[in-house]
Structure formats: C-alpha cells, structure tokens
Amino acid sequence: MILESITLKNFRNHKNAFFEFSLQTTLVAGENAAGKTNLLEAIYLVASGRSLRVKGVESEMIGYGEEIANIKAKTEKCNLEIILTKGELFGKRVSKKKYLVNQIARRTVDFLGNIRAVYFGPENLELITDSPSLRRKYLDAVLSQVDSEYARASLSYEKGLKTRNKILEKIRELQETDSSAESVGASRKKLYFWDQLLIKNGNIITLKREEFIEFLNKNSELLNCGEEKRQSPRFSLFYDRSTISEERLKQYSQQEIASATTLVGPHRDDFIIKSVGSFGLENRERDLSVYGSRGEQRLAILWLKLGELGFIEEKTGEKPILLLDDIFSELDLEHRKLVFDVTFEKQTIITTADLGMVETSWLKDVKLISL
Ligand SMILES: Nc1ncnc2c1ncn2[C@@H]1O[C@H](COP(=O)(O)OP(=O)(O)OP(=O)(O)O)[C@@H](O)[C@H]1O
Ligand SMILES: [Mg+2]
C-alpha cells in the first residue's frame, strides 16, 4: 500500500507539517535534531499503532506543552488518522489514542494493516541491549501489522492480564484479612474465567511469535553480499518462551497469590539474538547482547530487519514501506548496497544528516525533502 502524504500537528517537534512522498524513494535530509526520525516515527505509528522508540511513554510523542497531537496519513485507498492525548482534555477523561479511518473511529484491530512498514535505524540497537519488554513490544508491532488475529489476541491478553492480577491481589487481601473460605472461593472462581481467557489468547500469541522466529532462523543467509557473495556473519534467534497452560498456572498458584502477579505467559517471553560461528568461531553460538561488538550488533539488526521484511511480504503478499533511518552512518558500503537492493520496487523513505554521503545512483526516482 502506497503512502501518499502525511500531515503532522503537534507531533514531537513538527508543529504543523505536511509531507508528500514519492512512489519510489523519498530522501529526507536535515541536520541533527531536525525531526527526521520523528517523521519516520509518525509513519511507523500509523502502520503499527506503536512508537518505534519503544522505551518511552506514548504521550511523549505529543509536542512539548501541547495536549493533543494529530497524525493524518493519506494512502492510495483511504485516509488514516491518529489522535494522541494525555488522557485528559478540558478536564474530561478521554482516550489516549484514537484511530480513525476515513474520519470514522475504528477499533485498533480494524485500523492496523492499512499500511505496513519496516523501520531500520539506530533506535533498533536497543532491541539487543535493552530489557525483554522492548523485544516483546517489537514482536507485537511486527505481528499486529500482518495478522489481525494476533492483534486481537494480544489486546485481549493485555486487558485480561490486568484484571487477573487485580483478582490475585484481592485473593491475597482476603487471605490476610478475612479467612472465610467462602469469599476466597468466589474470587478463585472468577480467576478461573480469566485463566481460560489468558490461556486461549496466550497460546495464539506464543504460536505466532514462534512462527515468526522460525521464519527468521530459516533465512539465516540474508546477509551474504558483495561480488562473490562473501560469507557474512550468521545470526539466529532463540525464543525464550513462557508458555501458559492450566498445569503451569496450577504449579505457580501459591506464588502468584503471594506476589499478586501472573507469573507465566507470553508477557514474560524474551528472545536472544545469537551469532553463529562468525568471526572465526566455528559452530559456536554467542549471545550478542553480551559478546557482540557494536558493528556486529548492527549487522544482526540488519539481518533481523531483512527477515522481518521477508516475513511481512510472505504473510500479506504486499510490500511494506521501508523506513531507513540514517543507514549511511551506520553501515559499511557493502551492506548499504545490500539494503538498496531490497528497496527495489518498494516505497522507501530514507533519512540522512549528510547528503554528501548518499549514493544517489543507487536510488530510483528520488524526491528530496529538506527539513
Ligand atoms: N514531544 C516533543 N515535542 C517537541 N520536540 C520534541 C519532542 N520529542 C522530541 N523532540 C525534539 O525533536 C528533536 C529530535 O528529532 P529527531 O530525533 O527526529 O531528530 P533527527 O533529525 O532524527 O536527528 P539525528 O540526525 O540526530 O538523528 C529533538 O530536538 C527533540 O528535542
Ligand atoms: Mg534521527
């Protein structure tokens, strides 16, 4: 799906901005802090419903001192709009994020998938170095774009989890204060309903995360490039899953009440990016977050992103929009060439702080935006 234009109001440093994109390549040039990544972030938000700066709070995307931000994206088929607030407007409670398609409010699952995007840039390194919650959000962002069943399951799981944790807290309180077996029993019965909901949705999430990770591992040679297809380092993902089932819940039931938290399930998943036999270490796997050099981590992210692109294409039969953030300073020449090879016949938006570094001969039909 082609993105024709985007209008930003109070989105980060873009107070009032309008951008039109080429069907092929749009090059966004601007100094540091001009708002290049912010523009890509807005596009990624429309595609995935999430910020690419996965660590922050979502309301941070609203311009400083403002209460409401607005993103309007025009695709070849429809008008998409997201309204962001801090949860309150004129003293009234309102939703923090609202989605509209052709001016009509829609549920998240009906909004996502209208455009799809893959972001590759410096913000991604956190995926290797940071906490598991970031990697789970990444999986959610990718899978929610391609699979509405996943999007539905993960929204329902998140809500269910909150409720279940509240009930666990209630049971803990009851056990401490009022030990009448009756009231504890009633809460346990309630818990049963939420157990079933979490098991059902949790299993969907686990299965689909597993499918994505398997896809990546099957495509371990994505990075081979250069004249003689030089053997590049190889990577693999290890899915460190926390499955949810009746047995597992039973096993942890005492600890769950004591801590008033649900202790098993995909909200505790993680994945580890490993390099396999690279840099002279044959057949040895290393955890990149511990042992990877920065350059090696960057290549691992590139590998992950190329796989993500392939996965989205295979699942949807459509080409996602490529958002390439500052890759000129991040990658060596050979790997830059590799990235440009995949931009072929895809809508691509590339940012740079230094136009001098761009190999324009590699790009087709370029439209320049200067910030
Ligand atoms: N909520 C916000 N409101 C206003 N400005 C913001 C907000 N969040 C971030 N900014 C500003 O946006 C600017 C950074 O924009 P961005 O990250 O898009 O820059 P960039 O062009 O990608 O720069 P670089 O070349 O360094 O990557 C910073 O000056 C930052 O202070
Ligand atoms: Mg940037």
Side-chain angles (χ1 to χ4, degrees), residues 157 161 164-165 168 195 198-199 202 206 241-253 255-256 259 261-269:
Y157 187 90
L161 189 63
R164 189 173 187 276
N165 288 343
L168 286 171
D195 288 357
L198 289 194
I199 291 169
T206 307
R241 87 197 66 189
S242 173
T243 42
I244 185 163
S245 62
E246 279 195 51
E247 299 78 62
R248 292 253 294 161
L249 286 174
K250 207 182 234 167
Q251 190 186 339
Y252 286 93
S253 70
Q255 284 127 291
E256 284 200 327
S259 61
T261 24
T262 303
L263 294 174
V264 298
H267 65 289
R268 300 228 146 188
D269 276 356

Side-chain angles (χ1 to χ4, degrees), residues 10-12 41 51 56-69 84-88 96-97:
N10 299 332
F11 184 84
R12 295 217 186 252
E41 184 181 34
S51 162
V57 182
E58 295 207 318
S59 62
E60 282 169 11
M61 290 186 282
I62 302 170
Y64 299 144
E66 303 290 343
E67 295 302 316
I68 184 164
L84 298 173
T85 74
K86 293 174 178 163
E88 202 186 292
K96 286 188 178 172
K97 195 158 51 178

Side-chain angles (χ1 to χ4, degrees), residues 31-38 40 53 119 122-123 325-326 351:
E31 294 174 354
N32 293 129
K36 302 181 297 295
T37 303
N38 293 347
L40 299 188
R53 293 181 166 111
Y119 170 86
E123 315 282 331
D325 198 5
D326 212 10
T351 74

Side-chain angles (χ1 to χ4, degrees), residues 8 14 22-23 43 60 87 91 136 195 265 282 292 298 322 324-325 338:
L8 304 178
H14 298 289
S22 158
L23 297 179
I43 299 169
E60 282 169 11
R136 289 191 293 267
D195 288 357
E282 276 314 310
R298 257 187 223 131
L322 268 179
L324 304 177
D325 198 5
L338 183 79

Side-chain angles (χ1 to χ4, degrees), residues 64-180:
Y64 299 144
E66 303 290 343
E67 295 302 316
I68 184 164
N70 187 293
I71 302 121
K72 284 184 181 155
K74 190 169 180 306
T75 76
E76 49 186 348
K77 291 220 177 100
C78 59
N79 293 307
L80 303 168
E81 183 173 352
I82 297 181
I83 300 169
L84 298 173
T85 74
K86 293 174 178 163
E88 202 186 292
L89 265 187
F90 311 114
K92 266 198 203 151
R93 279 191 61 154
V94 289
S95 58
K96 286 188 178 172
K97 195 158 51 178
K98 219 170 146 176
Y99 298 100
L100 296 94
V101 180
N102 295 328
Q103 279 92 46
I104 297 165
R106 293 283 180 206
R107 293 179 310 165
T108 319
V109 286
D110 298 323
F111 182 89
L112 300 179
N114 276 300
I115 60 165
R116 299 188 180 91
V118 172
Y119 170 86
F120 175 65
E123 315 282 331
N124 286 143
L125 271 191
E126 293 178 350
L127 270 179
I128 294 183
T129 55
D130 243 292
S131 62
S133 76
L134 236 69
R135 288 182 283 280
R136 289 191 293 267
K137 282 184 189 170
Y138 165 74
L139 292 174
D140 287 344
V142 175
L143 287 159
S144 298
Q145 288 188 59
V146 299
D147 191 329
S148 58
E149 196 191 0
Y150 182 94
R152 210 171 293 127
S154 81
L155 288 170
S156 166
Y157 187 90
E158 261 168 54
K159 274 189 204 153
L161 189 63
K162 275 189 198 140
T163 314
R164 189 173 187 276
N165 288 343
K166 274 191 199 130
I167 299 172
L168 286 171
E169 204 175 325
K170 182 90 193 281
I171 297 176
R172 182 170 69 179
E173 255 169 48
L174 286 172
Q175 282 186 343
E176 281 164 5
T177 53
D178 159 17
S179 52
S180 82

